[in-house]
Amino acid sequence: MKQVLKCGHLFDTKTKVFVAGQNVYVEDQKIVEVSAGECKPGWEVVDLSGKYVMPGLIDTHVHCNISGGPTDMGWFGHLSVPDFTIISLTNVQADLMAGFTTLRDEGAIAFTDVAVKNAINKGETWGPRMFVSGRALTATGGHADTHFAPYVDVNDQMGIVCDSPDECRAAARYVMKYGADQIKIMSTGGVMSQGDDVGAPEFTLEELKAIIDLANSRGRITSAHAHAGDGIKLAVKAGITSIEHGALADQEAHDMMLAAGTWLVPTLCPGANILKYGTAAGIPDWMVEKDKQVVYTHAGNTKRAFEMGIPMAFGTDCGTPFTKHGEQANEFKLLVEAGIPAADAILMATANAAKMMRMDDKVGSVKQGLFADIVAVDADPIADIAQMMKVTFVMKDGKVYKK
């Protein structure tokens, strides 16, 4: 099929401005030309002349297994793997309809994210482009380890427990064997895991290097859940690609990230939503109390990282309490409130995210040779960032999913 998208305003990821009167020519799955003037004859016209058009959005931190309910983490150990597969597919389809044409899943049970990705890629079902982690790597008692009674035999969970460099290498090989595009590491405790400290490091430098060196040798990127202190610094020293959250990062951690070129994915949504809804909405009290340790510094630290020039990509931790799939674009509003210019927030979710994931030769911009992943809103999102929560047109791989 030969289509031309007649764009009222098209976001240029190089200049971070909307350019008026551009036409995007799409043949099969890819963009073949971007030019101004009258539309060429012989092409089916998709009229977006009243809209603000952007590259397909990229959320680099989602959890397809969980849906944003206050106690969804309680599903683990109670639902079957087929249940999680169906839940995951439903969730990522909601993300696509909200304009997120590419997702990076940051940890899933039993490789269900891999299964969903494969089914989409084979054309057996529909959904966004997926970049997946399989099971995350954690330490005993760490974020993504279970806290069932010791006599409960757990065959699978979101995290793989590894407590030495050799065990870490084996775990990394295992997730890559079963289809992981990257390695996700739990470098500190977390808000949503009971019994750990949000700022405490979970791996030694030697353990982190064992994982990251192996990933590098196979051309994979790595990401580290890390809120604070030594957990961030050790991951940066070991060569991590991205720090996820970084809510309690100090100046030294940011200096190290800047020097190393380490990416930051802030994910402001979960902290804000857990604090906003609280125990009255059914969120466990221990989770709310842990959230208070991180949420009050998160926005300020994110602004400092941006002003320093630390590379940043868009991610939401979608699936955590009240950060629901298909509704996660509220992250744009939180970024702007934290002091990130709206155009830069959009760039984080397009070209920046694609660059971090090493997919900028495929997605992230509207230019010749890239996949035709394109979305649009009805009004200028730079003037009103809330427009990003109102995507009215979605195309992925040249196919229109929402119009």
Side-chain angles (χ1 to χ4, degrees):
M1 180 185 294
K2 297 171 63 175
Q3 303 172 83
V4 54
L5 280 59
K6 185 177 180 180
C7 306
H9 302 83
L10 178 63
F11 188 71
D12 183 342
T13 55
K14 289 186 177 180
T15 62
K16 298 186 290 185
V17 299
F18 281 94
V19 180
Q22 299 293 294
N23 301 316
V24 181
Y25 293 86
V26 175
E27 188 166 4
D28 298 324
Q29 295 181 313
K30 292 193 173 182
I31 299 164
V32 296
E33 182 182 333
V34 180
S35 59
E38 294 298 319
C39 295
K40 297 177 182 180
W43 294 73
E44 178 184 339
V45 176
V46 179
D47 188 3
L48 303 177
S49 57
K51 296 184 182 291
Y52 286 77
V53 183
M54 296 166 283
L57 304 177
I58 303 171
D59 190 339
T60 71
H61 193 128
V62 306
H63 294 284
C64 63
N65 284 171
I66 47 179
S67 304
T71 58
D72 283 4
M73 294 299 288
W75 290 350
F76 297 119
H78 296 278
L79 296 183
S80 68
V81 171
D83 287 331
F84 279 116
T85 306
I86 298 299
I87 289 167
S88 298
L89 178 59
T90 301
N91 284 337
V92 302
Q93 288 176 342
D95 295 330
L96 176 60
M97 297 306 288
F100 292 93
T101 55
T102 299
L103 303 177
R104 180 175 68 157
D105 194 277
E106 281 285 285
I109 195 169
F111 299 100
T112 46
D113 56 345
V114 176
V116 171
K117 169 194 169 178
N118 289 343
I120 293 169
N121 288 349
K122 292 175 183 177
E124 296 169 349
T125 186
W126 62 274
R129 197 179 312 282
M130 293 187 67
F131 186 94
V132 298
S133 307
R135 296 171 64 189
L137 274 55
T138 188
T140 297
H143 194 59
D145 189 10
T146 64
H147 289 272
F148 297 133
Y151 57 82
V152 177
D153 183 17
V154 179
N155 294 319
D156 211 341
Q157 56 193 34
M158 183 180 285
I160 299 177
V161 173
C162 40
D163 291 323
S164 70
D166 284 344
E167 288 184 4
C168 288
R169 272 187 288 268
R173 290 182 177 120
Y174 177 75
V175 296
M176 288 189 286
K177 173 184 176 181
Y178 287 106
D181 298 306
Q182 69 149 25
I183 307 298
K184 169 67 179 293
I185 306 167
M186 300 305 192
S187 190
T188 71
V191 170
M192 294 182 64
S193 47
Q194 193 168 9
D196 59 12
D197 184 333
V198 293
E202 295 190 354
F203 288 106
T204 66
L205 178 61
E206 292 73 21
E207 288 167 338
L208 290 167
K209 280 189 63 62
I211 299 165
I212 294 167
D213 288 350
L214 181 63
N216 289 340
S217 74
R218 301 192 182 184
R220 306 293 212 282
I221 67 170
T222 51
S223 64
H225 162 101
H227 280 293
D230 289 343
I232 295 175
K233 296 168 192 175
L234 289 170
V236 174
K237 285 181 182 178
I240 202 77
T241 306
S242 67
I243 295 294
E244 311 295 310
H245 318 304
L248 295 168
D250 58 20
Q251 184 66 59
E252 182 184 9
H254 278 166
D255 289 341
M256 291 175 63
M257 291 177 66
L258 181 63
T262 308
W263 288 82
L264 174 64
V265 180
T267 69
L268 297 173
C269 273
N273 284 338
I274 290 170
L275 187 67
K276 175 181 177 181
Y277 291 99
T279 55
I283 301 173
D285 56 356
W286 60 263
M287 191 182 298
V288 176
E289 289 305 310
K290 292 184 80 174
D291 185 63
K292 291 176 182 178
Q293 299 177 45
V294 302
V295 71
Y296 296 116
T297 61
H298 203 171
N301 284 349
T302 299
K303 181 181 181 183
R304 181 177 66 197
F306 173 79
E307 291 176 342
M308 287 177 62
I310 291 171
M312 293 170 59
F314 182 97
T316 65
D317 215 352
C318 190
T320 55
F322 297 97
T323 303
K324 298 181 179 180
H325 291 271
E327 300 178 12
Q328 70 264 47
N330 189 55
E331 180 79 16
F332 288 105
K333 180 173 178 286
L334 295 174
L335 288 167
V336 170
E337 290 174 351
I340 312 299
D344 288 284
I346 296 170
L347 192 70
M348 286 170 61
T350 52
N352 280 17
K355 184 178 180 181
M356 184 189 76
M357 295 164 61
R358 301 177 186 171
M359 296 179 68
D360 48 333
D361 61 338
K362 298 179 177 66
V363 296
S365 300
V366 179
K367 65 180 183 181
Q368 182 180 358
L370 271 61
F371 286 109
D373 289 8
I374 298 169
V375 301
V377 296
D378 292 345
D380 184 358
I382 294 177
D384 176 17
I385 196 64
Q387 293 298 319
M388 298 302 292
M389 294 179 273
K390 305 172 185 177
V391 169
T392 54
F393 175 85
V394 177
M395 169 183 278
K396 180 214 164 198
D397 285 341
K399 180 178 179 179
V400 176
Y401 286 86
K402 186 176 185 180
K403 184 178 180 181

